[in-house]
């Protein structure tokens, strides 16, 4: 079952003589030039936190405009247990394993955020993937970890998963490592390096990894309570690691500017030390980069709170996802509560320039109808085509937070939407022909969360 | 063995189950093919939150997902709760969403 049965002899990495044998693309530019337009999307589908007595599932969505089943869920892989809260997921291999001959980008690693169960799905048949292995929560708890979040393959066929809590759903979190046979290898980090955890991204050529902070699972699981913010239970720090040593070298406390720093994205160019983090509660985009041997971070985009008629307090935008186009030209993001998708030109990374935005209606703006269907909640998880011309998004954040802010999501289910992007002019337009309705499934309405392409994507591929 | 009356808050549905000593309400419901919402099964996530209308339960582990105010209001976690008397509970996914209101509203 290993994807790395005949690994190449270990070799020093020479990028001027790049003998590209492994999975993925030799460079980000090669990904743009060589990738076919996406035809299939894998999307997390959830029933957790609803009165729908069914397990969560992996949805296979047809995104091929020439197909009869375009914008439909054409297949689903149901998980064996209920209550997982499938959330983020990743590949067993990406372009960072470019020298691993015999390794394929083929297996999806799909954790359950609430259950701490980890599923392995084989996508050899793209439209007919198959669940091949389940790691039960007890095996995860044995390493005093719970609440798996971000999955990245790391070079040599191994897989690293950020874990937000200890076995009791309390702090500290850490990282769990799986080997190329999808067996739990153990804990990757020396315990105690960080308190809180969430997303992470690594830039191997700079020997750096960045991890961000949500909160203890027991804090964010039940819903968002402002008292917890006041009590300092939510994160506001960026942790920069020595990637090889697995130790934290520098921590930046962002203070009020960086409350709940979630998605971390380095530029795709492997030499770059620039990147961005979306601070969800502060509604800021933080730009970071290295100079003089240290990382620096400051807000470069700030979204103002907005007054909502009949509500007591101004409502923050809540930036819940960001992504960088494969050519490092644009930063896209979603303001979940304000209901907006936006794109900024980041040709000068310290000075992003607004290019365009689309309001689909969250709590502000008009609730868009697409194909006669109300969008119900704001835009949330994003995914961009490798060529940067099609942006897709779903609308569910997290079951208990959805129930708190957009309760209709539980009754009507999520939608997946799409905008056409013109990278030349820096504009987006909502594609009114494209709608995937997760509200209309046999067991009942479902939420939809993260999106991935079989051939790698802007939020998972890393280059060595 | 205690009797537990499950009362779905959002519908007319009710069910009565018997819970053997040492077992949780969530497990006893599942054993009779009654699906109740759950997530972590360790008392951390609150997905299984129910509200006690009458009777008493003990939690097998600390109910981490519930704050003192929730416990005072009679919220319980069915994944780790064992009834000590005959019990009447409000159940269903909407009970969980009462724990934390929208702070800006
Ligand atoms: S299922 Fe998570 S607290 Fe009961």
């Amino acid at each position: 079952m290993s994807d790395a049965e005949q690994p190449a002899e270990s070799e020093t990495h020479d990028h001027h003589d790049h003998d590209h044998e492994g999975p993925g693309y030799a460079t980000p530019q090669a990904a743009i030039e060589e990738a076919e337009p996406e035809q299939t999307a894998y999307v997390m589908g959830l029933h957790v936190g609803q009165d729908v007595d069914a397990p969560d599932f992996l949805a296979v969505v047809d995104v091929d405009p020439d197909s009869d089943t375009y914008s439909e869920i054409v297949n689903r892989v149901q998980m064996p247990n209920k209550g997982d809260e499938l959330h983020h997921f990743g590949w067993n291999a990406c372009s960072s394993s470019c020298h691993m001959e015999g390794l394929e980008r083929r297996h999806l690693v799909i954790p359950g955020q609430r259950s701490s169960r980890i599923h392995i799905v084989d996508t050899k048949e793209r439209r007919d993937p198959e669940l091949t292995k389940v790691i039960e929560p007890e095996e995860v708890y044995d390493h005093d970890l719970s609440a798996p979040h971000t999955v990245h393959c790391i070079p040599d066929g191994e897989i690293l998963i950020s874990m937000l809590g200890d076995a009791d759903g309390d702090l500290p979190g850490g990282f769990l490592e799986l080997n190329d046979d999808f067996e739990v290898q153990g804990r990757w980090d020396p315990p105690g390096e960080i308190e809180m955890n969430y997303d992470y991204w690594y830039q191997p050529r700079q020997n750096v990894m960045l991890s961000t902070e949500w909160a203890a699972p027991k804090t964010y699981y039940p819903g968002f309570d402002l008292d917890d913010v006041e009590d300092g239970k939510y994160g506001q720090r960026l942790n920069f690691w020595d990637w090889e040593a697995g130790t934290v070298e520098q921590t930046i406390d962002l203070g009020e500017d960086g409350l709940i720093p979630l998605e971390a994205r380095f530029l795709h160019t492997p030499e770059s030390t620039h990147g961005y983090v979306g601070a969800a509660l502060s509604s800021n985009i933080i730009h970071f980069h290295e100079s003089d041997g240290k990382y620096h971070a400051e807000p470069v985009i700030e979204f103002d709170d907005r007054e909502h008629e009949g509500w007591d307090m101004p409502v923050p935008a809540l930036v819940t996802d960001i992504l960088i186009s494969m050519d490092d030209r644009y930063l896209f993001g979603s303001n979940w509560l304000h209901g907006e998708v936006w794109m900024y030109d980041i040709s000068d990374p310290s000075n992003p320039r607004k290019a365009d935005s689309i309001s689909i209606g969250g709590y502000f703006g008009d609730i868009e109808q697409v194909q006669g269907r109300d969008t119900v909640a704001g835009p949330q998880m994003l995914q961009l085509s490798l060529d940067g011309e099609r942006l897709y998004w779903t609308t569910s954040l997290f079951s208990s937070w959805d129930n708190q802010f957009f309760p209709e999501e539980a009754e009507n289910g999520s939608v997946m939407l799409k905008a056409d992007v013109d990278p030349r002019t820096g504009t987006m337009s909502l594609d009114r022909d494209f709608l995937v309705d997760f509200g209309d499934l046999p067991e009942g309405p479902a939420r939809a969360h993260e999106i991935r392409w079989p051939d790698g994507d802007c939020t998972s591929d890393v280059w060595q | 063995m205690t009797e537990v009356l499950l009362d779905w808050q959002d519908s007319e549905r009710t069910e009565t189950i018997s819970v053997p000593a040492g077992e949780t309400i969530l497990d006893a419901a599942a054993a009779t093919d009654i699906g109740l919402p759950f997530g972590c099964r360790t008392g951390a996530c609150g997905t299984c939150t129910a509200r006690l209308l009458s009777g008493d339960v003990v939690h097998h582990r600390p109910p981490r997902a519930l704050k003192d105010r929730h416990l005072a209001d009679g919220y319980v976690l069915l994944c780790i709760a064992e009834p000590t008397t005959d019990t009447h509970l409000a159940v269903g996914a909407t009970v969980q969403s009462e724990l934390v209101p929208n702070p800006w509203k």
Side-chain angles (χ1 to χ4, degrees):
Chain A
M1 150 123 182
S2 168
D3 282 337
E5 264 139 22
Q6 298 111 14
E9 289 294 298
S10 79
E11 52 182 300
T12 41
H13 207 116
D14 182 351
H15 293 273
H16 302 287
D17 176 24
H18 205 132
D19 187 17
H20 183 248
E21 304 277 2
Y25 301 93
T27 62
Q29 186 58 30
I32 297 166
E33 288 168 13
E34 293 167 19
E36 299 284 322
E38 64 287 350
Q39 297 186 324
T40 304
Y42 297 122
V43 185
M44 297 286 85
L46 295 82
H47 288 303
V48 77
Q50 291 176 272
D51 283 320
V52 174
D53 191 26
D56 298 347
F57 55 89
L58 170 74
V60 181
V61 174
D62 186 341
V63 290
D64 174 5
D66 295 330
S67 161
D68 290 345
T69 50
Y70 178 53
S71 82
E72 287 175 25
I73 298 170
V74 290
N75 200 353
R76 291 187 298 149
V77 180
Q78 277 200 327
M79 298 302 126
N81 296 84
K82 291 181 276 187
D84 285 315
E85 182 120 28
L86 303 185
H87 193 64
H88 288 221
F89 62 134
W91 290 100
N92 68 305
C94 78
S95 298
S96 75
S97 315
C98 60
H99 291 277
M100 292 290 286
E101 202 179 341
L103 196 66
E104 291 176 74
R105 185 197 276 115
R106 171 168 153 184
H107 287 99
L108 285 170
V109 179
I110 307 180
Q113 231 299 310
R114 277 176 206 265
S115 66
S116 301
R117 189 176 287 108
I118 300 167
H119 311 86
I120 311 299
V121 169
D122 184 350
T123 67
K124 185 172 167 50
E125 301 295 332
R126 284 196 175 181
R127 293 278 170 108
D128 193 16
E130 193 191 345
L131 179 75
T132 54
K133 181 170 176 159
V134 178
I135 299 169
E136 292 298 335
E138 290 66 31
E139 251 199 276
V140 173
Y141 299 152
D142 278 349
H143 300 275
D144 202 18
L145 292 167
S146 70
H149 192 274
T150 301
V151 177
H152 278 296
C153 54
I154 58 179
D156 302 333
E158 263 137 28
I159 292 150
L160 193 61
I161 307 177
S162 62
M163 309 290 298
L164 274 56
D166 69 7
D168 291 324
D170 225 317
L171 296 174
F175 291 86
L176 187 75
E177 189 172 342
L178 309 184
N179 66 19
D180 59 7
D181 280 323
F182 308 111
E183 288 155 349
V184 175
Q185 190 89 335
R187 201 174 164 130
W188 174 82
D189 55 322
E193 291 288 304
I194 49 168
E195 274 291 292
M196 295 180 202
N197 204 1
Y198 178 72
D199 194 26
Y200 77 102
W201 193 290
Y202 63 103
Q203 197 72 317
R205 236 182 268 184
Q206 298 289 350
N207 190 35
V208 67
M209 178 178 105
L210 164 61
S211 69
T212 60
E213 302 190 330
W214 192 3
K218 69 161 193 200
T219 302
Y220 67 78
Y221 273 155
F224 175 70
D225 188 343
L226 270 184
D227 287 351
D228 292 333
V229 178
E230 273 152 34
D231 294 346
K233 291 187 179 162
Y234 277 96
Q236 55 182 50
R237 283 173 296 266
L238 305 181
N239 300 299
F240 290 91
W241 300 64
D242 179 316
W243 169 240
E244 302 237 313
T247 51
V248 175
E249 296 300 306
Q250 192 190 341
T251 295
I252 299 179
D253 190 328
L254 298 165
E256 293 277 296
D257 284 340
L259 291 172
I260 317 190
L262 293 181
E263 311 310 319
R265 317 288 187 205
F266 267 96
L267 295 193
H268 297 285
T269 308
E271 290 82 11
S272 181
T273 65
H274 289 267
Y276 301 91
V277 170
L281 187 59
S282 299
S283 302
N284 281 339
I285 304 301
I286 309 289
H287 166 244
F288 61 83
H289 77 288
E290 185 261 346
S291 67
D292 312 326
K294 268 199 164 338
Y295 273 86
H296 305 269
E298 58 171 12
V300 286
I301 306 173
E302 300 178 38
F303 297 99
D304 291 336
D305 296 355
R306 290 174 71 170
E307 300 280 347
H308 190 281
E309 209 182 320
W311 285 21
D312 294 343
M313 286 197 285
V315 186
L318 214 80
V319 184
T320 48
D321 194 19
I322 56 169
L323 71 75
I324 296 173
S325 61
M326 204 47 105
D327 62 3
D328 292 336
R329 168 92 193 272
Y330 290 108
L331 178 72
F332 294 84
S334 56
N335 294 352
W336 190 54
L337 293 178
H338 288 189
E340 216 168 43
V341 190
W342 44 259
M343 88 190 261
Y344 276 71
D345 184 330
I346 51 166
S347 309
D348 173 3
S350 332
N351 293 295
R353 189 181 57 80
K354 184 169 181 185
D356 202 1
S357 65
I358 297 178
S359 171
I360 64 153
Y363 277 112
F364 299 89
D366 293 332
I367 306 268
E368 282 285 349
Q369 272 209 346
V370 179
Q371 308 267 308
R373 166 79 151 87
D374 281 348
T375 50
V376 176
Q380 218 284 107
M381 291 314 291
L382 307 170
Q383 194 52 266
L384 184 69
S385 60
L386 291 174
D387 64 9
E389 295 185 8
R390 292 165 301 283
L391 181 75
Y392 301 78
W393 65 87
T394 55
T395 53
S396 162
L397 176 62
F398 192 61
S399 63
S400 43
W401 293 41
D402 289 356
N403 286 345
Q404 193 174 359
F405 296 110
F406 293 108
E408 301 84 2
E409 190 105 343
E411 288 152 39
N412 301 345
S414 299
V415 294
M416 178 173 164
L417 298 174
K418 166 183 172 255
D420 291 308
V421 181
D422 185 339
R424 208 172 45 80
T425 55
T427 53
M428 290 189 285
S429 58
L430 184 65
D431 178 354
R432 292 182 178 278
D433 294 330
F434 184 90
L435 171 93
V436 186
D437 191 350
F438 280 73
D440 184 23
L441 288 165
E443 297 81 9
R447 305 170 201 277
H449 198 68
E450 200 179 38
I451 306 167
R452 296 224 170 278
W453 314 130
D455 292 314
D457 42 61
C458 299
T459 57
S460 68
D461 264 47
V462 170
W463 276 267
Q464 271 225 70
Chain B
M1 191 83 95
T2 47
E3 298 276 289
V4 174
L5 174 61
L6 304 171
D7 207 330
W8 272 260
Q9 185 164 268
D10 255 13
S11 71
E12 305 282 282
R13 182 177 179 199
T14 60
E15 304 273 358
T16 303
I17 57 167
S18 302
V19 184
E23 219 173 273
T24 65
I25 297 168
L26 186 71
D27 284 341
T32 31
D33 262 345
I34 294 168
L36 292 170
F38 66 89
C40 69
R41 309 186 71 115
T42 66
C45 79
T47 315
C48 64
T49 302
R51 196 161 39 85
L52 213 47
L53 301 174
S54 69
D56 257 311
V57 307
V58 284
H59 284 120
H60 287 176
R61 300 178 59 167
R64 291 183 170 76
L66 299 179
K67 296 184 167 155
D68 289 344
R69 67 170 197 263
H70 301 137
L71 292 165
D73 285 348
Y75 290 101
V76 295
L77 300 177
L78 298 187
C79 69
I80 52 168
E82 182 185 343
T84 50
T85 63
D86 286 352
T87 303
H88 183 189
L89 290 165
V91 298
T94 54
V95 183
Q96 190 283 324
S97 55
E98 294 170 359
L99 294 182
V100 205
N102 180 336
W104 293 288
K105 213 164 179 166

